[in-house]
Amino acid sequence: MNKIITLIMCVVFSATMSGQTVKVEDRVKTLEGDVKILKGQLETQNGQIASMQSRLNELADRNAEYKKALDIKQTLNTTDADGYQYSFVSAVGDKATGKLTITLNLFNPGESREKQMALAQFTDYAGNAYETNEYQFGNMENVKPTIDSNTNIKLKFRFADVSIETKRIASLTIKAYSSTWGNQDMSFNFRDLSVEWK
């Protein structure tokens, strides 16, 4: 009887172990399938990363070429032949009217003397050109004021019908008359100025 019970237990244990072995083998096969899928996804992602890195390198090279081609040299301060010193303050446009006001600061390091502007013109990076002979010293329009020695004064130029697409001024040239009223060239220039539209 004991032998029969032992035999039955051995058969039951063997059947149980066989079922567990089948379950473990199924899990191993499932895990191996998951590993293959993950490896495939990893290879795909590595390929995408390599492609994106290649594109980034290409864009960096192109950007370096553009910078070299533009070779922009920003000028925010300059001096004319009379010794007056100018600094760029702002270029503010009115979106509704297309009027653009460029404000400079003028400093007279010499003796007190008169100064008169003649013409201001600028070009944007799209190649559009604008000019004006409307200017203002402080709140005085189109005059030739006497600027005291070692004194600052605001100088504004107003341009009309400027495209609101203009975000930067490539070159701004201002022509002025000499304090001695000779024929000497008194023009001065600014480069790469930002424009703000309100």
Side-chain angles (χ1 to χ4, degrees):
M1 181 74 174
N2 282 343
K3 287 184 180 181
I4 294 174
I5 290 175
T6 302
L7 184 62
I8 291 171
M9 285 180 65
C10 283
V11 169
V12 169
F13 180 74
S14 175
T16 304
M17 287 306 289
S18 174
Q20 286 181 352
T21 302
V22 169
K23 285 182 182 175
V24 168
E25 286 178 0
D26 287 345
R27 289 184 70 196
V28 167
K29 285 181 183 176
T30 301
L31 289 173
E32 286 175 347
D34 290 346
V35 167
K36 281 184 183 178
I37 290 169
L38 289 172
K39 279 184 179 177
Q41 289 175 345
L42 183 61
E43 286 175 7
T44 300
Q45 287 178 345
N46 285 340
Q48 289 173 342
I49 288 170
S51 174
M52 290 190 322
Q53 187 62 48
S54 173
R55 180 73 176 137
L56 282 172
N57 291 340
E58 179 186 322
L59 290 173
D61 291 344
R62 190 181 298 173
N63 188 41
E65 286 300 315
Y66 286 153
K67 280 184 177 178
K68 198 184 298 178
L70 287 173
D71 192 23
I72 295 171
K73 291 181 174 49
Q74 190 175 51
T75 305
L76 299 177
N77 299 292
T78 190
T79 303
D80 69 15
D82 260 347
Y84 289 95
Q85 298 168 2
Y86 303 88
S87 59
F88 174 74
V89 176
S90 65
V92 180
D94 183 335
K95 287 181 183 177
T97 63
K99 290 185 178 176
L100 178 71
T101 301
I102 296 176
T103 304
L104 306 176
N105 188 57
L106 181 153
F107 176 71
N108 178 14
E111 70 278 356
S112 296
R113 52 198 166 151
E114 289 184 335
K115 189 65 177 175
Q116 184 177 1
M117 298 293 119
L119 180 75
Q121 53 194 25
F122 78 84
T123 54
D124 62 19
Y125 282 105
N128 300 311
Y130 304 91
E131 72 175 24
T132 186
N133 54 12
E134 286 186 42
Y135 64 92
Q136 181 177 331
F137 282 102
N139 63 355
M140 301 175 288
E141 301 232 5
N142 297 329
V143 295
K144 53 178 183 181
T146 297
I147 302 171
D148 291 334
S149 178
N150 296 313
T151 303
N152 287 307
I153 191 167
K154 289 280 189 280
L155 175 58
K156 295 183 179 183
F157 294 90
R158 291 191 177 83
F159 295 85
D161 302 320
V162 178
S163 167
I164 62 170
E165 299 302 314
T166 302
K167 304 298 182 209
R168 297 193 81 76
I169 293 170
S171 177
L172 168 67
T173 299
I174 297 168
K175 297 178 181 178
Y177 296 108
S178 170
S179 294
T180 59
W181 310 108
N183 291 325
Q184 188 176 4
D185 182 14
M186 289 293 128
S187 62
F188 53 97
N189 180 264
F190 293 90
R191 298 276 178 168
D192 191 42
L193 308 175
S194 63
V195 175
E196 180 184 2
W197 291 93
K198 294 183 178 180

